[in-house]
Amino acid sequence: RASLRDVHVSLALMEQFLAMAAANTARGVETCGILAASLSANDSVFTISTLIIPKQTGTSDTVEMYSEEDVLTVHLERELYPLGWIHTHPTQTCFLSSVDVHTQCSYQTMLDEAVAIVMAPTDSSKRLGIFRLTTPGGLTLVQNCERRGFHTHPDTHTGQEVYELCGHVYLNDRVQHDVIDLR
C-alpha cells in the first residue's frame, strides 16, 4: 500500500449520489456513478472532484452503464482521471459481488488507486464501503477470470482476500465536487 497515492473524497459527494439514486433505491434498483479525479501538482494526491452519472440500466442486483463515450468525453474535456465508481446496493449489504469485482478490475487495471464505493442504505451495520481489489492476489485473479455473471472465485494465489477496504482514501470535507448527470 505504501506505493498507492492518497485519494481524497468528500462525504457530501456520496450523500448527493445517494439522494440522486433515491427514486431507484425506493424501487429496489441499483444506480451507478463514475468517480473522476484531478491529480495534485506534485503527483501525490488524487482528489475526486467530479461525479458523473452515466446513462444506465439497473436491476435489484446489477447496474450497467451505456454510452461510455459520453463519460470519456467528460474525462477528456476536464482533464480528469477515471478513479473508479460508486453504486448502490438498495436491498443488499455493503460488499462487492462477483460482478462488482469484475467492474472494479477494469478501473484498477488502468489505475491502481481506483476505488469502488458501495452505498447500502438498508444495511444497518455498514451503509458505506470504499473497496479495492487486493494486489497482487485479487487483481490478478479477476484479470484472469473468464466467467461472467454471478459466480464464485477460487482463493487467490497469494492467500489474500479478493478485495479489501481501502487504506489510502481520506474523507475530506474541504473537497468540492461537480455532478454531471448524463441520463
Side-chain angles (χ1 to χ4, degrees), residues 14-179:
M14 294 176 237
E15 290 170 347
Q16 186 171 5
F17 170 74
L18 203 53
M20 294 177 77
N24 278 353
T25 300
R27 295 183 299 120
V29 174
E30 288 194 8
T31 304
C32 75
I34 308 304
L35 304 171
S38 57
L39 184 60
S40 64
N42 64 0
D43 292 345
S44 66
V45 177
F46 283 104
T47 301
I48 297 174
S49 57
T50 306
L51 169 62
I52 306 166
I53 307 296
K55 292 178 179 146
Q56 57 192 274
T57 57
T59 69
S60 63
D61 56 11
T62 64
V63 63
E64 237 179 286
M65 72 172 187
Y66 56 94
S67 297
E68 289 90 349
E69 63 277 4
D70 296 342
V71 174
L72 179 61
T73 298
V74 173
H75 282 98
L76 294 173
E77 286 177 352
R78 293 180 172 233
E79 299 180 357
L80 297 170
Y81 291 87
L83 208 72
W85 63 306
I86 183 170
H87 75 290
T88 57
H89 278 186
T91 61
Q92 299 178 52
T93 58
C94 189
F95 71 104
L96 290 182
S97 71
S98 58
V99 173
D100 295 342
V101 298
H102 281 268
T103 301
Q104 176 60 16
C105 182
S106 64
Y107 287 102
Q108 202 170 321
T109 296
M110 289 188 291
L111 196 58
D112 202 31
E113 288 85 356
V115 300
I117 300 176
V118 177
M119 305 292 293
T122 60
D123 185 345
S124 59
S125 65
K126 186 178 184 71
R127 290 188 61 228
L128 158 70
I130 305 175
F131 304 104
R132 68 185 302 272
L133 301 180
T134 58
T135 52
L139 185 60
T140 302
L141 177 76
V142 179
Q143 285 171 331
N144 293 318
C145 178
E146 295 180 6
R147 297 185 68 189
R148 295 293 170 250
F150 292 102
H151 59 278
T152 57
H153 287 103
D155 292 340
T156 64
H157 72 283
T158 60
Q160 295 171 294
E161 296 293 327
V162 175
Y163 66 90
E164 64 188 354
L165 288 169
C166 290
H168 68 294
V169 178
Y170 298 89
L171 297 180
N172 182 339
D173 288 334
R174 294 185 310 250
V175 171
Q176 300 295 307
H177 69 274
D178 292 328
V179 176

